[in-house]
């Protein structure tokens, strides 16, 4: 009789700070080793960083974070040169802060929270938050449809917690998060030690976060 060996993942960090022309700070996790699982997970984590730093729509995609930082600087210098031709006002240096952390892991999956804050001179920077979930056996990225077995019933539970959260925030109403009268799927979903975390994007370009304990939704989870 035999059993499958559990995939044991070990982690380190990628830490990059660049103050040349622009300010770029990158602190994200990295799975150690050359296994297929490690490569798949690291590729997705890296893609989050490179996508956040891509300012030139005509530039080729890259999976190299260091190169992405260089291209971010190049885009800034090109834009600065254009601005200097029409105004004497100094162009503030662009800033990018990209961070990530492992927020949950069990024998089946591992979850990461990734965030980016990009400021290219406007009054308010652009913030992005993304949850990345992976099957530890194959390194497969897991989206909402992979994680949830009964979306309709699952969302009914989420709606109760979302309504409760909105009661303390008068900026939004539950209608903003519904489509054809039903609560839409969360924009981001992941896990913590107590249950699931769900994020809903708002029309003000921020997020409403809710947490639901496992006891309320475990029958709807595939993992």
């Amino acid at each position: 009789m035999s059993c499958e060996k559990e995939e044991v993942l070990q982690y380190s960090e990628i830490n990059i700070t660049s103050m040349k022309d622009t300010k770029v700070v990158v602190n994200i996790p990295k799975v150690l080793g050359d296994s297929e699982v490690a490569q798949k997970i690291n590729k997705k984590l890296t893609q989050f960083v490179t996508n956040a730093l891509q300012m030139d729509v005509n530039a080729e995609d890259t999976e190299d974070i260091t190169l992405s930082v260089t291209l971010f600087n190049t885009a800034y210098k090109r834009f600065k040169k254009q601005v200097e031709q029409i105004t004497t006002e100094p162009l503030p240096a662009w800033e990018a802060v990209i961070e990530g952390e492992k927020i949950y892991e069990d024998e089946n999956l591992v979850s990461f929270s990734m965030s980016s804050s990009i400021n290219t001179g406007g009054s308010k920077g652009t913030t992005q938050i993304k949850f990345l979930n992976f099957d530890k056996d194959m390194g497969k990225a897991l989206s909402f449809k992979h994680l949830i077995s009964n979306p309709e019933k699952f969302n009914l539970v989420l709606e109760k917690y979302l309504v409760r959260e909105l009661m303390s925030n008068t900026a939004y109403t539950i209608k903003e998060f519904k489509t054809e009268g039903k609560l839409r799927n969360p924009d981001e979903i992941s896990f913590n030690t107590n249950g699931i975390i769900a994020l809903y994007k708002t029309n003000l370009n921020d997020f409403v976060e809710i947490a639901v304990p496992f006891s309320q939704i475990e029958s709807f989870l595939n993992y």
Side-chain angles (χ1 to χ4, degrees):
M1 188 170 60
S2 63
C3 62
E4 293 186 8
K5 183 179 179 181
E6 179 184 342
E7 182 70 35
V8 178
L9 302 179
Q10 295 181 322
Y11 306 91
S12 64
E13 289 187 347
I14 295 175
N15 305 112
I16 296 174
T17 300
S18 172
M19 299 295 180
K20 181 182 179 181
D21 302 313
T22 65
K23 175 184 176 181
V24 180
V25 178
V26 178
N27 297 300
I28 66 166
K30 176 183 179 181
V31 182
L32 292 173
D34 297 321
S35 69
E36 184 177 358
V37 170
Q39 291 181 37
K40 287 181 177 179
I41 294 176
N42 288 334
K43 181 177 181 179
K44 290 292 185 180
L45 298 178
T46 297
Q47 282 179 343
F48 179 86
V49 178
T50 57
N51 288 342
L53 291 174
Q54 187 170 19
M55 296 292 108
D56 187 348
V57 294
N58 297 317
E60 294 185 8
D61 293 337
T62 176
E63 296 180 6
D64 186 308
I65 294 178
T66 301
L67 177 57
S68 289
V69 173
T70 299
L71 293 175
F72 185 78
N73 286 334
T74 300
Y76 167 75
K77 289 189 291 184
R78 183 183 300 117
F79 183 66
K80 181 181 180 181
K81 185 176 181 180
Q82 293 172 347
V83 169
E84 287 175 345
Q85 293 176 350
I86 58 176
T87 181
T88 58
E89 292 293 326
L91 180 67
W94 290 356
E95 296 184 1
V97 178
I98 304 172
E99 299 179 314
E101 63 175 329
K102 185 184 70 167
I103 57 174
Y104 181 78
E105 184 175 12
D106 61 23
E107 66 272 15
N108 298 311
L109 61 82
V110 59
S111 302
F112 301 88
S113 174
M114 308 291 289
S115 67
S116 66
S117 178
I118 310 295
N119 192 326
T120 55
S123 58
K124 185 178 180 180
T126 301
T127 299
Q128 181 182 10
I129 301 175
K130 191 168 187 63
F131 293 150
L132 298 176
N133 307 288
F134 300 93
D135 181 298
K136 289 175 63 177
D137 288 332
M138 304 295 293
K140 177 182 178 181
L142 302 172
S143 63
F144 182 86
K145 67 179 181 180
H146 300 119
L147 297 171
I148 307 304
S149 61
N150 192 323
E152 186 171 351
K153 290 185 178 180
F154 178 82
N155 285 342
L156 286 176
V157 177
L158 259 61
E159 183 172 352
K160 296 178 182 178
Y161 284 82
L162 182 57
V163 168
R164 188 182 306 172
E165 178 66 25
L166 295 178
M167 289 177 64
S168 62
N169 192 333
T170 58
Y172 313 106
T173 65
I174 190 64
K175 291 182 179 180
E176 296 178 38
F177 305 93
K178 289 189 172 184
T179 302
E180 297 181 352
K182 294 182 179 181
L183 185 68
R184 72 176 192 262
N185 294 342
D187 296 288
E188 301 293 335
I189 185 171
S190 192
F191 300 86
N192 61 19
T193 55
N194 298 316
I196 65 100
I197 309 169
L199 293 183
Y200 287 90
K201 293 180 181 178
T202 75
N203 54 15
L204 297 179
N205 197 32
D206 59 3
F207 298 89
V208 174
E209 176 180 321
I210 57 174
V212 182
F214 282 123
S215 60
Q216 301 299 308
I217 41 80
E218 58 187 351
S219 61
F220 311 130
L221 300 178
N222 288 328
Y223 281 80

